[in-house]
Amino acid sequence: MKILSPPTFIYILYLIYLITIPRVSSSSPSLTVPHHFLQCLDTQPSDHGSPNSATAVIPTNSSFSANLMSAVRNLRFASASNRKPEAIVAALTETHIRATISCCKLLNLELRVRSGGHDYEGFSYTSPVPFVILDMYNFHKIDINMADETVWVQAGASLGELYYNIASKSKVHAFPAGVCPKVGAGGHFSGGGFGNLMRKYGLSIDHIIDAQIMDANGKVYRDRRSMGEDVFWALRGGGGGSYGVILAWKIKLVRVPEKVTVFKLERTVREGAVDLVHKWQQVAPVIDRDLFIRLEIKPINRKISKGKTIKVSFIGMFLGTPERLLNITKNKFPELHLTSSDCLVKKWIDSVVFWANYPEKAPIEILLKRISANEYYWKRTSDFVQTPISKQGLKTIFQTMIDHSPLPRRVWMQWNPWGGRMGEIPSDATAFVHRGGNLFMIEHFMNWYRPGDKLEEKFLAIARSFKEAMAPYVSKNPREAFFNYRDVDIGITTPGYNATYEGAKVYGEKYFKGNYLRLVKTKARFDRTNFFRSQQGIPVLA
């Protein structure tokens, strides 16, 4: 007769316990779930006799709200009408993660994994069904090996922590990732990870050389060989949240000059913004790949006459000296009229502070700050542009922005140029599909600063109306979207285990195009019960 292991025996006893406990009344279906979850955690194997439940808080704990809100980046999802988690587990070890997975399975709870909390639709900390948050905040170790220029980065580390630690070891190394320091590495890298080094070096995932992940059975895969190349491929751009819990990434650093050059120029329509933006479309994706010029396009009040106009900011990152930069812009983009007085020379780490919009004299230690104090309400979406927009089209877009902007609230956009290295990497090299053929990516913004359902409906309607007005100018069949900028308006699946391949196509083909089927097939092998799921997750094939 086979002897059951102690953990297995405990699991069975707990299942019997769940079956025999009195049922909760239908009017309070989740009244005892948080307590059952805590009890379940303590039936699982633990570290050195310390109870797993010591890492968890439930709604009756005084610290629950603070723990929940510590990484809620969009206050739309902090309202009383949003379902709250049954528990938040701030794991300290892999044992805590494994116990959390096991108890979610036993109690039929969804698991949401939160690294930095920047998911645009709040999927890392909200759900329409009973769920638990696994907070990776404590998994933020960064181990740098300068001998081979590699780094192991745990999933809960912020980009700011990563950049700060790199700069503490070298003045001539960097990593191509986002410009927001508080973003968590776990989600940022798994969705692709783009930033102002992308034209030179590509995306974050193009420099990820290994990873560690825990699956739905609590098994840890310590490297890409053990998990399989198909899984490693899927994690780079396909979203780790659909496959398992990302524990850590191994990245390869890139070289940068000791000093780089940054600039920010602003032009209104009256100062030639339409002509400049039209030229930017032709220049920015093909200019020297050491140069990245982002546009920020915003409606503003006129300074002299009444009414509104558009202001365009040209924000530049150049891997070189001002002299070489000015020579490039003089030859390729003379209309910009960039001068030496516009150029700021900085160490790479100081350019990170500049791009994060921190004060000019802010110390680099500000990059270690992981919690935000001034969050607000917003909607973000994305688009890809594959053919230049005419001057008349730009004029129409600018007027449409003004018409959709009840100042001081407004729709606005960032345009990020592609080209360079991005156009050289095949679309199926990783799960991130948006490579060659794109001129630039648009990020759409709508912000507001007061709560209220009616106010939210109003501003969401404005954001959706403006995005619809942009349809003639962006990619088609499908209208592509960036997975790191999730948008429920392009489609969701029904909560639960039964998301289908066909049902998830509504968003899957927009995020991943031809890579979608491969992602689904990989999911069917690695997470065949669809334990790791969300409204926009990768489904199993059948």
Side-chain angles (χ1 to χ4, degrees), residues 172 307 458:
V172 294
K458 172 185 175 182

Side-chain angles (χ1 to χ4, degrees), residues 276 279-280 283 293 314 328-329 331-337:
L276 284 172
K279 182 64 179 289
W280 174 91
V283 171
I293 306 176
F314 296 78
I328 291 170
T329 56
N331 287 312
K332 302 295 184 180
F333 200 0
E335 298 87 348
L336 190 59
H337 295 302

